[in-house]
Short mmCIF file of all heavy atoms in Angstrom, two decimals:
data_model
loop_
_atom_site.label_atom_id
_atom_site.label_comp_id
_atom_site.label_asym_id
_atom_site.label_seq_id
_atom_site.Cartn_x
_atom_site.Cartn_y
_atom_site.Cartn_z
N MET B 1 -21.09 7.98 22.69
CA MET B 1 -21.28 8.43 21.30
C MET B 1 -20.00 8.45 20.48
O MET B 1 -19.97 7.92 19.38
CB MET B 1 -21.87 9.88 21.36
CG MET B 1 -22.34 10.40 20.04
SD MET B 1 -23.64 9.40 19.20
CE MET B 1 -23.69 10.13 17.60
N LEU B 2 -18.92 8.89 21.10
CA LEU B 2 -17.70 8.93 20.47
C LEU B 2 -17.21 7.47 20.11
O LEU B 2 -16.62 7.22 19.10
CB LEU B 2 -16.62 9.59 21.28
CG LEU B 2 -15.29 9.86 20.68
CD1 LEU B 2 -15.38 10.86 19.51
CD2 LEU B 2 -14.24 10.36 21.72
N PHE B 3 -17.52 6.59 21.02
CA PHE B 3 -17.10 5.20 20.79
C PHE B 3 -17.81 4.65 19.59
O PHE B 3 -17.19 3.81 18.84
CB PHE B 3 -17.45 4.36 22.05
CG PHE B 3 -16.85 2.95 22.09
CD1 PHE B 3 -15.53 2.71 22.20
CD2 PHE B 3 -17.75 1.88 21.87
CE1 PHE B 3 -15.06 1.50 22.13
CE2 PHE B 3 -17.25 0.65 21.77
CZ PHE B 3 -15.90 0.44 21.93
N VAL B 4 -19.02 4.97 19.40
CA VAL B 4 -19.78 4.47 18.21
C VAL B 4 -19.25 5.03 16.96
O VAL B 4 -19.19 4.44 15.97
CB VAL B 4 -21.29 4.88 18.36
CG1 VAL B 4 -22.08 4.42 17.18
CG2 VAL B 4 -21.88 4.18 19.65
N MET B 5 -18.75 6.28 17.00
CA MET B 5 -18.27 6.98 15.82
C MET B 5 -16.83 6.43 15.44
O MET B 5 -16.44 6.75 14.32
CB MET B 5 -18.25 8.53 16.00
CG MET B 5 -19.63 9.10 16.16
SD MET B 5 -20.46 9.21 14.55
CE MET B 5 -19.49 10.53 13.80
N LEU B 6 -16.21 5.87 16.30
CA LEU B 6 -14.77 5.61 16.11
C LEU B 6 -14.56 4.80 14.80
O LEU B 6 -13.58 5.22 14.05
CB LEU B 6 -14.20 4.85 17.34
CG LEU B 6 -12.68 4.83 17.49
CD1 LEU B 6 -12.15 6.25 17.58
CD2 LEU B 6 -12.25 3.95 18.67
N PRO B 7 -15.25 3.78 14.46
CA PRO B 7 -14.89 3.02 13.18
C PRO B 7 -15.03 3.98 12.02
O PRO B 7 -14.25 3.79 11.07
CB PRO B 7 -16.00 1.90 13.22
CG PRO B 7 -16.33 1.74 14.63
CD PRO B 7 -16.23 3.06 15.30
N PHE B 8 -15.99 4.83 12.08
CA PHE B 8 -16.21 5.79 10.86
C PHE B 8 -15.03 6.77 10.79
O PHE B 8 -14.58 7.08 9.69
CB PHE B 8 -17.53 6.49 11.11
CG PHE B 8 -18.74 5.55 11.06
CD1 PHE B 8 -19.38 5.25 12.27
CD2 PHE B 8 -19.17 4.98 9.84
CE1 PHE B 8 -20.44 4.37 12.25
CE2 PHE B 8 -20.21 4.14 9.79
CZ PHE B 8 -20.91 3.81 11.06
N LEU B 9 -14.56 7.21 11.94
CA LEU B 9 -13.43 8.12 11.96
C LEU B 9 -12.18 7.41 11.42
O LEU B 9 -11.39 7.99 10.61
CB LEU B 9 -13.18 8.59 13.35
CG LEU B 9 -14.20 9.56 13.92
CD1 LEU B 9 -13.92 9.98 15.37
CD2 LEU B 9 -14.24 10.91 13.09
N VAL B 10 -11.93 6.17 11.79
CA VAL B 10 -10.85 5.40 11.30
C VAL B 10 -10.94 5.21 9.81
O VAL B 10 -9.97 5.33 9.08
CB VAL B 10 -10.74 4.06 12.13
CG1 VAL B 10 -9.73 3.19 11.40
CG2 VAL B 10 -10.41 4.25 13.52
N PHE B 11 -12.14 4.91 9.38
CA PHE B 11 -12.35 4.70 7.93
C PHE B 11 -12.09 5.99 7.17
O PHE B 11 -11.49 6.03 6.08
CB PHE B 11 -13.82 4.26 7.64
CG PHE B 11 -14.11 3.93 6.26
CD1 PHE B 11 -13.42 2.85 5.68
CD2 PHE B 11 -15.04 4.62 5.59
CE1 PHE B 11 -13.71 2.59 4.29
CE2 PHE B 11 -15.35 4.40 4.25
CZ PHE B 11 -14.69 3.29 3.63
N ALA B 12 -12.62 7.12 7.72
CA ALA B 12 -12.38 8.37 7.05
C ALA B 12 -10.88 8.75 6.99
O ALA B 12 -10.37 9.20 5.96
CB ALA B 12 -13.12 9.47 7.83
N ALA B 13 -10.15 8.55 8.08
CA ALA B 13 -8.70 8.75 8.12
C ALA B 13 -8.04 7.81 7.13
O ALA B 13 -7.08 8.29 6.46
CB ALA B 13 -8.14 8.40 9.57
N PHE B 14 -8.51 6.60 6.96
CA PHE B 14 -7.92 5.71 5.88
C PHE B 14 -8.10 6.22 4.56
O PHE B 14 -7.19 6.15 3.76
CB PHE B 14 -8.55 4.29 6.06
CG PHE B 14 -8.18 3.26 5.07
CD1 PHE B 14 -6.81 2.70 5.13
CD2 PHE B 14 -8.94 3.01 4.00
CE1 PHE B 14 -6.43 1.87 4.20
CE2 PHE B 14 -8.53 2.05 3.08
CZ PHE B 14 -7.30 1.50 3.11
N LEU B 15 -9.27 6.71 4.25
CA LEU B 15 -9.58 7.32 2.92
C LEU B 15 -8.68 8.47 2.66
O LEU B 15 -8.16 8.61 1.54
CB LEU B 15 -11.04 7.63 2.82
CG LEU B 15 -12.06 6.53 2.66
CD1 LEU B 15 -13.44 7.05 2.55
CD2 LEU B 15 -11.64 5.60 1.51
N LEU B 16 -8.54 9.34 3.64
CA LEU B 16 -7.68 10.51 3.54
C LEU B 16 -6.23 10.15 3.24
O LEU B 16 -5.50 10.70 2.40
CB LEU B 16 -7.80 11.42 4.72
CG LEU B 16 -9.04 12.29 4.85
CD1 LEU B 16 -9.10 13.01 6.21
CD2 LEU B 16 -9.08 13.32 3.76
N TYR B 17 -5.81 9.10 3.97
CA TYR B 17 -4.42 8.58 3.79
C TYR B 17 -4.21 8.04 2.39
O TYR B 17 -3.27 8.35 1.71
CB TYR B 17 -4.25 7.51 4.87
CG TYR B 17 -2.92 6.76 4.63
CD1 TYR B 17 -1.70 7.37 4.92
CD2 TYR B 17 -2.85 5.52 4.15
CE1 TYR B 17 -0.49 6.72 4.78
CE2 TYR B 17 -1.70 4.83 3.99
CZ TYR B 17 -0.51 5.42 4.29
OH TYR B 17 0.69 4.76 4.08
N GLN B 18 -5.25 7.31 1.88
CA GLN B 18 -5.14 6.82 0.55
C GLN B 18 -5.15 7.94 -0.45
O GLN B 18 -4.41 7.96 -1.49
CB GLN B 18 -6.37 5.92 0.26
CG GLN B 18 -6.31 4.59 1.00
CD GLN B 18 -5.59 3.51 0.23
OE1 GLN B 18 -5.93 3.22 -0.91
NE2 GLN B 18 -4.52 2.93 0.81
N ALA B 19 -5.98 8.92 -0.29
CA ALA B 19 -6.12 10.01 -1.24
C ALA B 19 -4.91 10.89 -1.21
O ALA B 19 -4.60 11.61 -2.25
CB ALA B 19 -7.34 10.84 -0.96
N SER B 20 -4.13 10.93 -0.12
CA SER B 20 -3.01 11.80 -0.08
C SER B 20 -1.78 11.20 -0.78
O SER B 20 -0.86 11.92 -0.95
CB SER B 20 -2.64 12.00 1.39
OG SER B 20 -2.18 10.86 2.03
N ARG B 21 -1.85 9.89 -1.09
CA ARG B 21 -0.76 9.29 -1.75
C ARG B 21 -0.99 9.33 -3.30
O ARG B 21 -1.82 8.65 -3.82
CB ARG B 21 -0.63 7.84 -1.32
CG ARG B 21 -0.32 7.70 0.11
CD ARG B 21 -0.47 6.18 0.63
NE ARG B 21 0.54 5.45 -0.02
CZ ARG B 21 0.31 4.11 -0.29
NH1 ARG B 21 -0.76 3.54 0.12
NH2 ARG B 21 1.26 3.34 -0.82
N LYS B 22 -0.27 10.20 -3.91
CA LYS B 22 -0.38 10.31 -5.35
C LYS B 22 0.62 9.44 -6.07
O LYS B 22 1.84 9.59 -5.90
CB LYS B 22 -0.18 11.79 -5.79
CG LYS B 22 -1.25 12.69 -5.36
CD LYS B 22 -2.52 12.43 -6.20
CE LYS B 22 -3.66 13.30 -5.68
NZ LYS B 22 -4.98 12.80 -6.17
N ILE B 23 0.12 8.48 -6.78
CA ILE B 23 1.00 7.59 -7.52
C ILE B 23 0.67 7.65 -9.04
O ILE B 23 -0.42 7.66 -9.41
CB ILE B 23 0.82 6.20 -7.00
CG1 ILE B 23 1.13 6.12 -5.51
CG2 ILE B 23 1.70 5.19 -7.76
CD1 ILE B 23 0.82 4.72 -4.94
N ASP B 24 1.69 7.74 -9.79
CA ASP B 24 1.53 7.92 -11.28
C ASP B 24 1.63 6.48 -11.91
O ASP B 24 2.38 5.58 -11.42
CB ASP B 24 2.46 8.83 -11.86
CG ASP B 24 2.22 10.23 -11.49
OD1 ASP B 24 1.11 10.53 -11.13
OD2 ASP B 24 3.16 11.04 -11.50
N CYS B 25 0.95 6.33 -12.98
CA CYS B 25 0.98 5.13 -13.67
C CYS B 25 2.44 4.93 -14.28
O CYS B 25 2.98 5.84 -14.91
CB CYS B 25 0.05 5.01 -14.83
SG CYS B 25 0.14 3.72 -15.96
N PRO B 26 3.09 3.80 -14.06
CA PRO B 26 4.47 3.54 -14.63
C PRO B 26 4.47 3.48 -16.18
O PRO B 26 5.49 3.66 -16.74
CB PRO B 26 4.85 2.25 -13.99
CG PRO B 26 3.54 1.54 -13.69
CD PRO B 26 2.61 2.63 -13.38
N ASP B 27 3.32 3.19 -16.81
CA ASP B 27 3.24 3.08 -18.21
C ASP B 27 3.07 4.40 -18.90
O ASP B 27 3.79 4.81 -19.75
CB ASP B 27 2.19 2.12 -18.60
CG ASP B 27 2.66 0.79 -19.03
OD1 ASP B 27 3.80 0.43 -18.63
OD2 ASP B 27 1.96 0.04 -19.83
N CYS B 28 1.98 5.10 -18.55
CA CYS B 28 1.63 6.30 -19.28
C CYS B 28 1.74 7.56 -18.44
O CYS B 28 1.59 8.70 -18.91
CB CYS B 28 0.14 6.19 -19.79
SG CYS B 28 -1.10 6.17 -18.48
N GLY B 29 2.01 7.46 -17.13
CA GLY B 29 2.29 8.68 -16.30
C GLY B 29 1.05 9.34 -15.79
O GLY B 29 1.13 10.31 -15.15
N ALA B 30 -0.12 8.82 -16.06
CA ALA B 30 -1.37 9.40 -15.60
C ALA B 30 -1.45 9.05 -14.05
O ALA B 30 -1.10 7.95 -13.63
CB ALA B 30 -2.53 8.81 -16.36
N PRO B 31 -2.04 10.05 -13.34
CA PRO B 31 -2.24 9.75 -11.93
C PRO B 31 -3.21 8.60 -11.73
O PRO B 31 -4.34 8.61 -12.32
CB PRO B 31 -2.74 11.04 -11.35
CG PRO B 31 -3.26 11.81 -12.49
CD PRO B 31 -2.44 11.35 -13.64
N LEU B 32 -2.84 7.64 -10.92
CA LEU B 32 -3.78 6.47 -10.66
C LEU B 32 -4.93 6.86 -9.78
O LEU B 32 -4.72 7.62 -8.79
CB LEU B 32 -2.95 5.31 -10.08
CG LEU B 32 -1.87 4.78 -10.91
CD1 LEU B 32 -0.98 3.88 -10.23
CD2 LEU B 32 -2.56 3.99 -12.13
N PRO B 33 -6.02 6.37 -10.01
CA PRO B 33 -7.20 6.67 -9.20
C PRO B 33 -7.14 5.97 -7.81
O PRO B 33 -6.86 4.82 -7.73
CB PRO B 33 -8.44 6.11 -9.97
CG PRO B 33 -7.81 5.05 -10.75
CD PRO B 33 -6.43 5.49 -11.10
N THR B 34 -7.20 6.77 -6.73
CA THR B 34 -7.04 6.19 -5.39
C THR B 34 -8.30 5.51 -5.01
O THR B 34 -8.31 4.59 -4.21
CB THR B 34 -6.71 7.28 -4.39
OG1 THR B 34 -7.61 8.41 -4.60
CG2 THR B 34 -5.30 7.75 -4.51
N LEU B 35 -9.46 6.02 -5.53
CA LEU B 35 -10.73 5.39 -5.22
C LEU B 35 -11.32 4.86 -6.56
O LEU B 35 -11.53 5.69 -7.45
CB LEU B 35 -11.67 6.25 -4.54
CG LEU B 35 -11.24 6.76 -3.16
CD1 LEU B 35 -12.17 7.86 -2.66
CD2 LEU B 35 -11.22 5.63 -2.12
N MET B 36 -11.59 3.63 -6.61
CA MET B 36 -12.19 3.11 -7.93
C MET B 36 -13.39 2.16 -7.57
O MET B 36 -13.44 1.67 -6.52
CB MET B 36 -11.18 2.52 -8.79
CG MET B 36 -10.49 1.34 -8.18
SD MET B 36 -9.21 0.71 -9.29
CE MET B 36 -8.48 -0.57 -8.30
N SER B 37 -14.14 1.93 -8.58
CA SER B 37 -15.25 1.05 -8.39
C SER B 37 -14.83 -0.33 -8.03
O SER B 37 -13.92 -0.88 -8.56
CB SER B 37 -16.02 0.97 -9.72
OG SER B 37 -16.99 -0.12 -9.68
N PRO B 38 -15.40 -0.91 -7.02
CA PRO B 38 -15.14 -2.29 -6.63
C PRO B 38 -15.23 -3.32 -7.75
O PRO B 38 -14.61 -4.37 -7.80
CB PRO B 38 -16.03 -2.64 -5.45
CG PRO B 38 -16.50 -1.35 -4.98
CD PRO B 38 -16.49 -0.35 -6.13
N LEU B 39 -16.16 -2.97 -8.71
CA LEU B 39 -16.42 -3.88 -9.80
C LEU B 39 -15.26 -3.96 -10.77
O LEU B 39 -15.17 -4.97 -11.47
CB LEU B 39 -17.70 -3.43 -10.54
CG LEU B 39 -18.99 -3.44 -9.68
CD1 LEU B 39 -20.11 -2.77 -10.54
CD2 LEU B 39 -19.29 -4.80 -9.32
N ARG B 40 -14.46 -2.93 -10.76
CA ARG B 40 -13.36 -2.93 -11.74
C ARG B 40 -12.06 -3.52 -11.12
O ARG B 40 -11.14 -3.79 -11.89
CB ARG B 40 -12.99 -1.49 -12.15
CG ARG B 40 -14.09 -0.89 -13.07
CD ARG B 40 -13.58 0.40 -13.75
NE ARG B 40 -12.43 0.10 -14.58
CZ ARG B 40 -11.56 0.96 -14.98
NH1 ARG B 40 -11.63 2.19 -14.50
NH2 ARG B 40 -10.53 0.66 -15.73
N LYS B 41 -12.13 -3.81 -9.85
CA LYS B 41 -10.92 -4.34 -9.27
C LYS B 41 -10.83 -5.81 -9.67
O LYS B 41 -11.76 -6.60 -9.64
CB LYS B 41 -11.00 -4.29 -7.75
CG LYS B 41 -10.91 -2.91 -7.18
CD LYS B 41 -10.83 -2.92 -5.68
CE LYS B 41 -10.70 -1.55 -5.07
NZ LYS B 41 -10.60 -1.61 -3.65
N THR B 42 -9.51 -6.23 -9.96
CA THR B 42 -9.29 -7.59 -10.23
C THR B 42 -9.04 -8.36 -8.95
O THR B 42 -8.98 -7.78 -7.85
CB THR B 42 -8.07 -7.72 -11.05
OG1 THR B 42 -6.81 -7.33 -10.32
CG2 THR B 42 -8.11 -6.92 -12.36
N ARG B 43 -9.04 -9.67 -9.06
CA ARG B 43 -8.93 -10.48 -7.86
C ARG B 43 -7.55 -10.22 -7.19
O ARG B 43 -7.45 -10.21 -5.99
CB ARG B 43 -8.99 -11.97 -8.27
CG ARG B 43 -9.32 -12.92 -7.07
CD ARG B 43 -9.52 -14.26 -7.53
NE ARG B 43 -10.76 -14.32 -8.38
CZ ARG B 43 -11.15 -15.48 -8.94
NH1 ARG B 43 -10.46 -16.52 -8.80
NH2 ARG B 43 -12.27 -15.51 -9.64
N ARG B 44 -6.57 -9.93 -7.96
CA ARG B 44 -5.23 -9.65 -7.47
C ARG B 44 -5.20 -8.34 -6.68
O ARG B 44 -4.54 -8.28 -5.59
CB ARG B 44 -4.19 -9.60 -8.53
CG ARG B 44 -2.77 -9.66 -8.06
CD ARG B 44 -1.83 -9.10 -9.09
NE ARG B 44 -2.03 -7.73 -9.30
CZ ARG B 44 -1.66 -6.75 -8.53
NH1 ARG B 44 -0.98 -7.03 -7.43
NH2 ARG B 44 -1.99 -5.47 -8.83
N ILE B 45 -5.92 -7.34 -7.16
CA ILE B 45 -5.93 -6.08 -6.50
C ILE B 45 -6.70 -6.22 -5.14
O ILE B 45 -6.26 -5.66 -4.11
CB ILE B 45 -6.64 -4.98 -7.37
CG1 ILE B 45 -5.68 -4.65 -8.53
CG2 ILE B 45 -6.90 -3.68 -6.58
CD1 ILE B 45 -6.27 -3.68 -9.57
N TRP B 46 -7.73 -6.97 -5.12
CA TRP B 46 -8.45 -7.31 -3.88
C TRP B 46 -7.54 -7.89 -2.82
O TRP B 46 -7.60 -7.60 -1.63
CB TRP B 46 -9.65 -8.13 -4.09
CG TRP B 46 -10.93 -7.39 -4.59
CD1 TRP B 46 -11.47 -7.49 -5.88
CD2 TRP B 46 -11.65 -6.48 -3.87
NE1 TRP B 46 -12.53 -6.66 -5.93
CE2 TRP B 46 -12.69 -6.02 -4.70
CE3 TRP B 46 -11.52 -5.97 -2.54
CZ2 TRP B 46 -13.65 -5.11 -4.32
CZ3 TRP B 46 -12.57 -4.95 -2.21
CH2 TRP B 46 -13.55 -4.59 -3.07
N ARG B 47 -6.71 -8.86 -3.34
CA ARG B 47 -5.89 -9.65 -2.42
C ARG B 47 -4.65 -8.82 -2.02
O ARG B 47 -4.31 -8.74 -0.82
CB ARG B 47 -5.39 -10.91 -3.05
CG ARG B 47 -4.91 -11.96 -2.13
CD ARG B 47 -4.39 -13.24 -2.85
NE ARG B 47 -3.31 -12.91 -3.79
CZ ARG B 47 -3.31 -13.28 -5.07
NH1 ARG B 47 -4.24 -14.01 -5.62
NH2 ARG B 47 -2.22 -12.95 -5.80
N ASP B 48 -3.91 -8.32 -2.97
CA ASP B 48 -2.63 -7.66 -2.61
C ASP B 48 -2.73 -6.09 -2.53
O ASP B 48 -1.77 -5.54 -2.11
CB ASP B 48 -1.61 -8.01 -3.74
CG ASP B 48 -1.43 -9.52 -3.83
OD1 ASP B 48 -1.58 -10.20 -2.78
OD2 ASP B 48 -1.09 -10.02 -4.89
N GLY B 49 -3.79 -5.53 -2.96
CA GLY B 49 -3.86 -4.10 -3.04
C GLY B 49 -3.27 -3.70 -4.40
O GLY B 49 -2.56 -4.47 -5.10
N GLY B 50 -3.52 -2.45 -4.75
CA GLY B 50 -2.93 -1.88 -5.95
C GLY B 50 -3.97 -1.12 -6.74
O GLY B 50 -5.05 -0.76 -6.20
N TYR B 51 -3.58 -0.73 -7.96
CA TYR B 51 -4.40 0.25 -8.66
C TYR B 51 -4.49 -0.19 -10.15
O TYR B 51 -3.75 -0.95 -10.65
CB TYR B 51 -3.70 1.64 -8.64
CG TYR B 51 -3.44 2.09 -7.23
CD1 TYR B 51 -2.12 1.94 -6.76
CD2 TYR B 51 -4.40 2.74 -6.43
CE1 TYR B 51 -1.84 2.42 -5.45
CE2 TYR B 51 -4.09 3.10 -5.19
CZ TYR B 51 -2.80 3.00 -4.64
OH TYR B 51 -2.53 3.37 -3.47
N LEU B 52 -5.58 0.30 -10.76
CA LEU B 52 -5.81 0.07 -12.12
C LEU B 52 -5.80 1.40 -12.82
O LEU B 52 -6.63 2.30 -12.53
CB LEU B 52 -7.12 -0.63 -12.34
CG LEU B 52 -7.31 -1.36 -13.70
CD1 LEU B 52 -6.31 -2.57 -13.81
CD2 LEU B 52 -8.73 -1.91 -13.70
N CYS B 53 -4.89 1.56 -13.78
CA CYS B 53 -4.82 2.92 -14.47
C CYS B 53 -6.08 3.17 -15.35
O CYS B 53 -6.51 2.24 -16.09
CB CYS B 53 -3.58 2.93 -15.41
SG CYS B 53 -3.48 4.45 -16.34
N ALA B 54 -6.70 4.31 -15.14
CA ALA B 54 -7.90 4.69 -15.87
C ALA B 54 -7.65 4.89 -17.36
O ALA B 54 -8.48 4.81 -18.16
CB ALA B 54 -8.62 5.88 -15.21
N ARG B 55 -6.42 5.34 -17.67
CA ARG B 55 -6.14 5.69 -19.04
C ARG B 55 -5.69 4.55 -19.93
O ARG B 55 -6.28 4.33 -20.99
CB ARG B 55 -5.05 6.72 -19.06
CG ARG B 55 -4.91 7.36 -20.46
CD ARG B 55 -3.59 8.18 -20.52
NE ARG B 55 -3.77 9.52 -19.85
CZ ARG B 55 -2.75 10.35 -19.80
NH1 ARG B 55 -1.57 10.07 -20.31
NH2 ARG B 55 -2.86 11.55 -19.16
N CYS B 56 -4.71 3.71 -19.39
CA CYS B 56 -4.25 2.66 -20.25
C CYS B 56 -4.62 1.28 -19.73
O CYS B 56 -4.28 0.31 -20.37
CB CYS B 56 -2.70 2.78 -20.41
SG CYS B 56 -1.79 2.40 -18.88
N GLY B 57 -5.20 1.18 -18.54
CA GLY B 57 -5.57 -0.13 -18.00
C GLY B 57 -4.43 -0.89 -17.38
O GLY B 57 -4.58 -2.01 -17.00
N CYS B 58 -3.28 -0.21 -17.17
CA CYS B 58 -2.15 -0.93 -16.56
C CYS B 58 -2.47 -1.16 -15.08
O CYS B 58 -3.01 -0.36 -14.39
CB CYS B 58 -0.96 0.04 -16.63
SG CYS B 58 0.48 -0.57 -15.74
N GLU B 59 -2.16 -2.39 -14.67
CA GLU B 59 -2.41 -2.84 -13.33
C GLU B 59 -1.14 -2.63 -12.49
O GLU B 59 -0.10 -3.22 -12.89
CB GLU B 59 -2.91 -4.20 -13.30
CG GLU B 59 -3.58 -4.64 -12.03
CD GLU B 59 -4.06 -6.11 -12.07
OE1 GLU B 59 -4.68 -6.50 -13.19
OE2 GLU B 59 -3.76 -6.88 -11.21
N THR B 60 -1.17 -2.00 -11.31
CA THR B 60 0.02 -1.86 -10.47
C THR B 60 -0.24 -2.38 -9.15
O THR B 60 -1.34 -2.70 -8.69
CB THR B 60 0.38 -0.38 -10.36
OG1 THR B 60 -0.49 0.21 -9.48
CG2 THR B 60 0.39 0.30 -11.71
N ASP B 61 0.89 -2.54 -8.35
CA ASP B 61 0.74 -2.95 -6.93
C ASP B 61 0.64 -1.65 -6.05
O ASP B 61 0.45 -0.56 -6.64
CB ASP B 61 1.92 -3.76 -6.43
CG ASP B 61 3.26 -3.02 -6.62
OD1 ASP B 61 3.32 -1.77 -6.87
OD2 ASP B 61 4.28 -3.70 -6.50
N VAL B 62 0.59 -1.77 -4.77
CA VAL B 62 0.43 -0.63 -3.93
C VAL B 62 1.48 0.39 -4.07
O VAL B 62 1.29 1.62 -3.73
CB VAL B 62 0.34 -1.10 -2.39
CG1 VAL B 62 -1.03 -1.60 -2.13
CG2 VAL B 62 1.37 -2.12 -2.10
N ALA B 63 2.72 -0.01 -4.49
CA ALA B 63 3.79 0.95 -4.62
C ALA B 63 3.73 1.57 -6.03
O ALA B 63 4.50 2.49 -6.30
CB ALA B 63 5.11 0.15 -4.49
N GLY B 64 2.82 1.20 -6.88
CA GLY B 64 2.64 1.85 -8.16
C GLY B 64 3.64 1.30 -9.19
O GLY B 64 4.00 1.98 -10.14
N LYS B 65 3.91 -0.10 -9.05
CA LYS B 65 4.85 -0.68 -10.03
C LYS B 65 4.07 -1.77 -10.84
O LYS B 65 3.23 -2.28 -10.27
CB LYS B 65 6.00 -1.31 -9.28
CG LYS B 65 6.92 -0.29 -8.69
CD LYS B 65 8.07 -0.94 -7.98
CE LYS B 65 9.05 0.16 -7.42
NZ LYS B 65 10.10 -0.37 -6.63
ZN1 ZN W 101 -1.44 4.04 -17.43
#
């Protein structure tokens, strides 16, 4: 049973890790959303990772630059 649950636990841990990293937008200073709709992600964000600012639309990499 535990073996079956393992991928879900890893996924949950990954989400917690992502949510614990608070990164502000370099442009407007608004906190970047750690979880966002897959439909809003650009191709570059899918490939390299990164965030899209909800306030000004600024696109950053994983380090928030
Ligand atoms: Zn912004």
Side-chain angles (χ1 to χ4, degrees):
M1 188 60 189
L2 187 66
F3 188 73
V4 176
M5 291 287 285
L6 199 60
F8 297 103
L9 289 175
V10 170
F11 184 65
F14 175 74
L15 286 182
L16 281 173
Y17 172 73
Q18 289 271 303
S20 67
R21 297 170 65 208
K22 289 287 176 200
I23 301 173
D24 290 338
C25 173
D27 253 26
C28 67
L32 294 168
T34 47
L35 296 172
M36 59 183 179
S37 165
L39 297 174
R40 289 195 62 203
K41 290 187 181 184
T42 66
R43 198 173 296 177
R44 194 202 62 78
I45 291 179
W46 277 113
R47 195 183 63 228
D48 300 331
Y51 308 97
L52 198 64
C53 178
R55 190 192 284 177
C56 70
C58 174
E59 195 181 314
T60 74
D61 61 11
V62 280
K65 292 183 178 173

